[in-house]
Amino acid sequence: LDELAYRIVNEAAAQAMSRSTIGRILDAADIKPHRSVYWLNSHDPDFNRKAVNICRLYLDAPSLYERGHLVLSGDEKTGMQILQRKHPTRLAIPGHPEQREFEYIRHGRRDLLATFCVVTGEVVYDLSPTHTAQDWIAHLSHVLEHFPDQRGYHFVVDNLSTHTGYAVCHQVAAWEGMSVSDEELSTVERRQEFLSD
């Protein structure tokens, strides 16, 4: 609001306006210049086809589940700091707000790996001090242990390199009773294709 008031006077050569007047005008016009939302612009020419396929998979999840196939969505939250307040929080009492100590103790960082089962709503998660393909393999193993005896698994994940590393491909091949050479997995596209099959 301060910047708008400055620009009105100095760049638009208009009469000065107060912050509160500008705020009322913007509010009445339902304009919120201080708010923003994220959006993702894809440069993938095949984006629409891929998005349709994933949406179809989500819509088909209940019928796939009836046939023993799970649709799972996995992702990570990396670099979470584990913090502890140095002193206990004082609870709110009438006339006084809660008081939270500003000092904290650092207990390192962790990465959260989580997989959501689309049909059941169950979440399987792991906390890891690192973010490697081996951590992703350990998480996948945990998911398979949590949902045993399925006929198929459909994982929806992003294009993070830890999801498509050589080690991940070799582990998936071992689970399927297959063998695959590094030559067959020599590019990211080949590894993605192998894991998508």
Side-chain angles (χ1 to χ4, degrees):
L1 293 177
D2 288 334
E3 185 175 336
L4 285 172
Y6 175 83
R7 287 178 182 256
I8 286 170
V9 172
N10 294 301
E11 293 179 17
Q15 187 176 6
M17 264 190 220
S18 69
R19 286 179 100 256
S20 57
T21 300
I22 295 170
R24 283 192 300 275
I25 292 169
L26 293 175
D27 193 47
D30 196 25
I31 298 174
K32 310 281 188 265
H34 62 286
R35 298 178 79 182
S36 65
V37 295
Y38 286 108
W39 71 287
L40 175 63
N41 178 37
S42 176
H43 301 288
D44 184 346
D46 215 16
F47 175 79
N48 287 338
R49 183 190 63 78
K50 291 174 182 176
V52 166
N53 287 342
I54 289 172
C55 290
R56 172 61 45 209
L57 185 61
Y58 284 144
L59 290 171
D60 291 344
S63 63
L64 288 166
Y65 182 66
E66 290 174 1
R67 296 191 312 258
H69 290 255
L70 285 181
V71 176
L72 303 156
S73 179
D75 206 354
E76 301 86 9
K77 170 70 174 153
T78 59
M80 297 184 309
Q81 287 203 39
I82 314 270
L83 305 175
Q84 175 188 3
R85 296 284 168 197
K86 194 169 184 179
H87 302 285
T89 298
R90 295 178 184 165
L91 299 178
I93 57 174
H96 298 280
E98 177 181 272
Q99 295 179 332
R100 193 173 301 142
E101 170 65 36
F102 75 94
E103 288 188 85
Y104 55 86
I105 301 165
R106 294 177 190 260
H107 292 289
R109 58 172 281 286
R110 290 290 182 270
D111 293 343
L112 171 67
L113 295 89
T115 294
F116 172 74
C117 181
V118 174
V119 174
T120 67
E122 293 173 79
V123 176
V124 178
Y125 69 91
D126 292 287
L127 289 172
S128 172
T130 58
H131 188 66
T132 66
Q134 290 302 323
D135 296 320
W136 182 245
I137 291 169
H139 176 67
L140 291 177
S141 296
H142 186 192
V143 171
L144 297 178
E145 289 169 11
H146 188 81
F147 299 110
D149 305 323
Q150 299 298 308
R151 297 182 70 213
Y153 301 88
H154 303 269
F155 279 89
V156 177
V157 296
D158 58 20
N159 291 324
L160 197 61
S161 62
T162 55
H163 296 156
T164 57
Y166 287 100
V168 174
C169 292
H170 286 294
Q171 182 59 63
V172 169
W175 284 330
E176 291 297 313
M178 306 167 54
S179 65
V180 63
S181 69
D182 284 352
E183 172 94 17
E184 296 172 88
L185 305 170
S186 60
T187 65
V188 171
E189 292 78 19
R190 285 182 174 183
R191 293 190 298 275
Q192 289 173 339
E193 185 180 325
F194 169 78
L195 291 169
S196 294
D197 185 9

